[in-house]
Amino acid sequence: MIKNDLFIRALKGETVDRPPVWMMRQAGRYLPEFMALKQKYDFFTRCRTPELASDITVQPIDIIGPDAAILFSDILVIPQAMQIEVEMKDGIGPWLPNPIRSQAHVDQVIVPDIDEELGYVMDAIKMTKEKLNDRVPLIGFAGSPWTILCYAVQGQGSKNFDKAKEFCFTQPEAAHQLLQKITDTTIAYLKKKVAAGVNAVQVFDSWGGMLSPVDYQEFSWKYIQQIVTALKEETEVIVFGKGCWFALQEMANSGASALGVDWTCSARNARYLTGGKITLQGNFDPSRLLSPPSDIKSMVKQMIDEFGKDRYIANLGHGILPNIPVDNARAFVDAVKEYKMG
Ligand code: CP3
């Protein structure tokens, strides 16, 4: 049904002529077409208006040509739906005026009815599917419970999420209750996304690497595993843990279809830790897209040679940066499409 199903085939571990490619945060600020809409509508208006969200989702497909689309939205619509106030401030990023710091506040956090609070996401998915017209698969996503807790407790982005960690380490019971509420909401949300038409889901554990390997098990992995277990029969699940190479072995046995890796972990190490049995996704340094296009092309070829063309999805090791020239992003995608072995 989907004309270009390379991405799904790679997730299922099938043999392919070349790996599929997409870029994390591919809908965004490096595209002039996105900036034009950003001038007119604030961030959450773009997320909440299916017409806008679906247009933004399709922009990179038309302009750059990756093998999968990712729905334009944000991981922070989940805390919003749980009645935690979230704003997006220019120059600052996410801003939560009432960060969670106590058991009493955790008690107030609700597990919402998804259709009531996040029906606009499902509408955006349906509209995007129409605009994509089965050209490429559509990816849905959510943040990991730990990464959502980071924002809910810290109240904004941070270099070390010290307040989030302090909350977990001084009030572990309250922290675990909050993580479980986020997990329950996320599972219901992702199931609705699958029902609305997404072809795969990715869990972004952007701040998992802030935790030690032991704390990672307790405060992050335990909850991601619940999500994977709940979703794996219904769709392909990708887990991307930034800085979480230490957990790859466990992740490989979780039931996920693929694991994302960042650029600090070599292909060889990632393959070794995962026993060569699971699809890996990554791991081009996003800053390397600032290199001249000819350098990007040779580095992409080398990256694919190292991961191998099968059980592999070419991607960046984290989101694309706003200062990347469009031609360089296109060179990245083209290099994967032109890949030949040898
Ligand atoms: O990948 C895509 O193209 C789909 C869209 C997408 C956005 N956010 C749009 C967005 C996705 C997948 C996300 C996920 C997200 N959001 C993550 C996990 C991935 C990652 O990068 O680690 C996180 C941590 C967030 C939280 C968030 N949203 C931050 C920290 C910021 C501000 C920092 C920044 O990059 O500006 C956002 C805002 C945001 N989300 C923008 C976009 C395009 C930029 C702001 C804008 O467009 O006005």
Side-chain angles (χ1 to χ4, degrees), residues 43-45 47-48 74-88 95-96 110 112 117-118 120 148:
F43 183 72
F44 285 112
T45 302
C47 291
R48 286 172 174 272
D74 201 86
I75 62 170
L76 299 174
V77 301
I78 287 288
Q80 258 181 352
M82 299 174 77
Q83 311 297 312
I84 303 168
E85 209 180 317
V86 183
E87 299 167 23
M88 195 59 72
W95 177 259
L96 294 80
I110 64 157
E117 298 293 332
L118 293 161
Y120 66 88
I148 298 298

Side-chain angles (χ1 to χ4, degrees), residues 22-29 34 38 43 46 70-76 88 90 92-94 141 147 151 204 206-207 240 318-319:
W22 68 284
M23 291 182 295
M24 288 191 274
R25 306 288 287 267
Q26 66 190 14
R29 291 166 300 172
F34 175 86
K38 184 174 152 81
F43 183 72
R46 278 173 275 146
I70 178 161
L71 185 74
F72 178 78
S73 185
D74 201 86
I75 62 170
L76 299 174
M88 195 59 72
D90 259 346
I92 296 180
F141 66 89
T147 292
Y151 288 102
F204 284 89
S206 302
W207 307 127
F240 167 64
H318 199 191

